[in-house]
Amino acid sequence: MALACGRGVGSRGGAPARVAGGRSRARACRVVAKAHKVAVLSGDGIGPEIMDAALKVLSKAGSAEGESFTFTPALIGGAAIDATGSPLPKETMDICKSSDSVLLAAIGGYKWDTLPAEQRPERGLLGLRAGLNAFANLRPAIVPPQLADSSPLKREIVEGVDILIVRELVGGIYFGQPRGFGTNEKGERTGYNTDVYSESEVERIARVAFDAARKRGKRLCSVEKSNVLEVSQLWKEVVIRVGQEYPDVELSHMYIDNAAMQLLRNPRYFDVVVTGNIFGDILSDEASMLAGSLGMLPSASISGGGPGIFEPVHGSAPDIAGQDLANPLAMVLSAAMMCRYDLNIPKVAERLETAVNAALDKGYRTGDIFKQQEGTTLVKCSEMGALLEGLPYGMLAAGALFGTGWWIWCDVVLRSSLVLGAAVPFPHYLPGIVATLAVVLMALVPRDGGDYVGYGDEGEQCRSKCCLFVAWCLAFGSIASAVVVLLLGRQGGGDLAVDVGAVAQTATICLSGLVTWLAKSAEGSDYSLMGF
């Protein structure tokens, strides 16, 4: 059954919103394309938990940009084995092929480890990759500055690391034939696999890697074992030939054993790495620990034509499944990669990435990346997902409280010292106190779009926050001013008190309207203050 998520028009209960991709003079409506069809494969272990968190954040980020999604769940891995006897049912393959993209959480677990090799959950993943011809696996290994101290390596080694590993995914030893078991001349059992690549397979993955390097630091390192393996000798020859078409990209070569060492010794040496299936599998898992946890790294498997597969690097972690202890950030970042590479909605990807960075900046950590230090808070999987959706508006509450208190104080001082010549009795403060409490409650109500996913890049975020803070101060200050004028202005103060209060109120309302307009117009801000 398809689950339709995301609202097609507008972002907040019909309030005018910014058209995705730029500003529009006609803000009364938003033009929305058809919903993006996403096959959702939650899989096994912690998969359902992290997928649930990611879909909620993705839906909210998409809504903020006028994008909607249709999520169609399907079975894969152990869950599919239990339900159908197959790790990759035909129905699942059909759903994936008819979708715009595939979002996969995790597969496998101890429960199915004793099954024959061809019936294990991992065969479902290999079959899915082959069935969609998802030959290029992109695995970024980035160490966020907030987590540099979480790495098992020293900060000075990992700080600033930003590597993209491009792994060939549907060839090599995992798919080569012949493979199986046999008996040698001594009567002993043997097991064998075939590591084989054709020129065309190497050429297409090399082009993906060169194109990626051209958009990054223009450095590409090809990893193989050409001093021993014939398949690696062919690999190296083809990569060198393709490299002649990319004179602006610096090409280097490294043996797999040296690459594994350098990845720990000097990871900043690498920009883009291209390698075969088994070497890429090993290096990408090794690179994941530079960030301190597999739970932080997403991946994308793309075909260049049909739907791609987007999944976290980590496994199903059956030992913590169902305990709300998983880290959903890699799943959310995988959804961001899906939006950027498959669905071509980079604005939504930016919102998701901004949400993750903002949560890390605030010090929120799941158990795998948590260190007991000042400024960090341990949260569960569901709590991290809720935080990414949107925190309570502490900033707006502070602005409202400050603005209300400021204007109440000004009005009372004007009336007591300049006009009345006497102090105002306490009951006359009551309306201001009630208004202040009401404003704080209103400000604390989370609004659609969240505290994080509603913002764009850093510059846009800063401008929007500043405008909104001042706007709330002035807007609710005007309300407080009006209350004071009406209830206190005529109690012995004469016309002057009324005039002073009215002028202050009018000026505040005008300034509030101006700053509100600036806040709405700030690129990256989808908030509309007070429904205007």
Side-chain angles (χ1 to χ4, degrees):
M1 179 181 66
L3 306 176
C5 298
R7 281 169 288 187
V9 180
S11 61
R12 285 174 187 79
R18 180 167 54 85
V19 176
R23 300 180 183 178
S24 171
R25 294 177 63 88
R27 293 178 179 249
C29 63
R30 176 181 287 174
V31 178
V32 181
K34 66 181 180 67
H36 303 283
K37 299 194 305 182
V38 178
V40 175
L41 311 183
S42 297
D44 310 316
I46 62 174
E49 302 169 51
I50 61 175
M51 182 67 79
D52 180 64
L55 293 184
K56 290 177 180 177
V57 181
L58 175 59
S59 297
K60 185 153 288 189
S63 177
E65 283 295 339
E67 303 288 349
S68 60
F69 305 88
T70 298
F71 299 134
T72 306
L75 297 173
I76 193 173
I81 292 172
D82 290 346
T84 69
S86 168
L88 182 63
K90 182 180 182 301
E91 180 184 2
T92 297
M93 196 73 241
D94 291 341
I95 289 173
C96 292
K97 286 183 176 180
S98 63
S99 299
D100 298 320
S101 193
V102 178
L103 204 55
L104 170 67
I107 62 168
Y110 309 132
K111 177 181 179 181
W112 305 280
D113 281 351
T114 57
L115 293 176
E118 295 299 322
Q119 299 176 21
R120 291 183 184 177
E122 293 75 15
R123 285 295 164 188
L125 178 58
L126 295 177
L128 179 65
R129 291 169 176 171
L132 296 180
N133 194 29
F135 70 90
N137 182 230
L138 310 180
R139 290 194 172 188
I142 301 172
V143 180
Q146 307 96 323
L147 299 181
D149 290 326
S150 298
S151 173
L153 301 180
K154 294 180 180 178
R155 170 180 278 270
E156 54 265 31
I157 294 177
V158 300
E159 196 166 30
V161 167
D162 185 352
I163 305 170
L164 177 64
I165 297 178
V166 180
R167 168 190 172 193
E168 202 289 324
L169 204 58
V170 295
I173 200 168
Y174 290 169
F175 291 89
Q177 295 290 342
R179 61 184 298 155
F181 300 95
T183 305
N184 64 15
E185 61 276 7
K186 296 181 180 180
E188 297 174 322
R189 292 186 68 225
T190 61
Y192 56 90
N193 295 86
T194 303
D195 192 2
V196 57
Y197 274 112
S198 66
E199 287 185 297
S200 61
E201 289 175 324
V202 179
E203 183 174 334
R204 68 180 182 178
I205 192 66
R207 292 190 186 281
V208 171
F210 274 108
D211 288 337
R214 179 172 274 174
K215 297 175 182 177
R216 289 169 50 98
K218 300 185 184 299
R219 292 185 294 113
L220 175 63
C221 180
S222 175
V223 175
E224 24 74 8
K225 192 65 175 173
S226 56
N227 60 336
V228 176
L229 302 175
E230 284 77 8
V231 65
S232 286
Q233 293 169 13
L234 175 70
W235 178 283
K236 185 174 182 178
E237 291 172 7
V238 175
V239 170
I240 291 174
R241 185 175 71 239
V242 174
Q244 294 173 356
E245 302 174 22
Y246 297 83
D248 55 325
V249 176
E250 177 189 338
L251 175 62
S252 62
H253 302 272
M254 193 175 291
Y255 297 147
I256 176 60
D257 43 1
N258 185 31
M261 179 184 70
Q262 295 299 333
L263 199 56
L264 299 180
R265 181 176 179 270
N266 184 23
R268 284 196 296 268
Y269 167 82
F270 297 101
D271 178 26
V272 178
V273 175
V274 62
T275 189
N277 207 339
I278 189 170
F279 295 159
D281 193 0
I282 296 169
L283 288 180
S284 57
D285 279 2
E286 180 185 1
S288 69
M289 289 312 297
L290 296 174
S293 172
L294 284 168
M296 288 302 302
L297 300 183
S299 75
S301 303
I302 58 177
S303 66
I309 307 168
F310 298 84
E311 58 180 312
V313 171
H314 63 70
S316 62
D319 53 322
I320 61 170
Q323 301 177 46
D324 201 19
L325 300 177
N327 184 347
L329 296 183
M331 189 76 250
V332 174
L333 292 173
S334 295
M337 292 188 76
M338 176 185 71
C339 292
R340 177 169 283 112
Y341 289 106
D342 241 15
L343 305 182
N344 195 28
I345 45 177
K347 286 288 188 180
V348 178
E350 290 170 9
R351 289 181 182 274
L352 295 173
E353 292 160 353
T354 299
V356 171
N357 285 328
L360 293 176
D361 284 340
K362 291 280 188 177
Y364 295 108
R365 306 283 190 269
T366 47
D368 57 315
I369 56 175
F370 177 73
K371 280 193 172 183
Q372 190 69 50
Q373 58 189 33
E374 186 178 354
T376 60
T377 303
L378 178 65
V379 296
K380 296 184 176 181
C381 178
S382 58
E383 292 171 335
M384 180 65 83
L387 288 166
L388 295 178
E389 283 189 80
L391 291 176
Y393 282 24
M395 174 195 71
L396 299 183
L401 180 60
F402 174 81
T404 305
W406 170 256
W407 281 105
I408 291 175
W409 182 83
C410 286
D411 279 335
V412 170
V413 167
L414 280 173
R415 248 163 289 314
S416 63
S417 62
L418 299 180
V419 181
L420 300 179
V424 178
F426 174 77
H428 294 163
Y429 288 97
L430 189 58
I433 295 173
V434 174
T436 300
L437 293 175
V439 166
V440 170
L441 290 175
M442 290 173 62
L444 285 173
V445 175
R447 304 186 61 173
D448 195 5
D451 194 19
Y452 294 150
V453 298
Y455 290 126
D457 61 28
E458 265 188 47
E460 296 168 352
Q461 178 179 349
C462 180
R463 180 169 52 164
S464 295
K465 279 189 174 181
C466 290
C467 289
L468 285 167
F469 182 85
V470 177
W472 279 65
C473 287
L474 296 175
F476 289 105
S478 70
I479 295 175
S481 177
V483 170
V484 172
V485 167
L486 291 175
L487 296 182
L488 300 181
R490 292 188 178 276
Q491 302 209 6
D495 292 337
L496 179 59
V498 177
D499 291 342
V500 171
V503 169
Q505 176 190 353
T506 303
T508 306
I509 292 174
C510 292
L511 288 173
S512 174
L514 174 62
V515 179
T516 302
W517 179 83
L518 291 174
K520 286 174 57 181
S521 300
E523 194 72 22
S525 171
D526 268 322
Y527 299 103
S528 55
L529 186 64
M530 299 294 290
F532 287 106

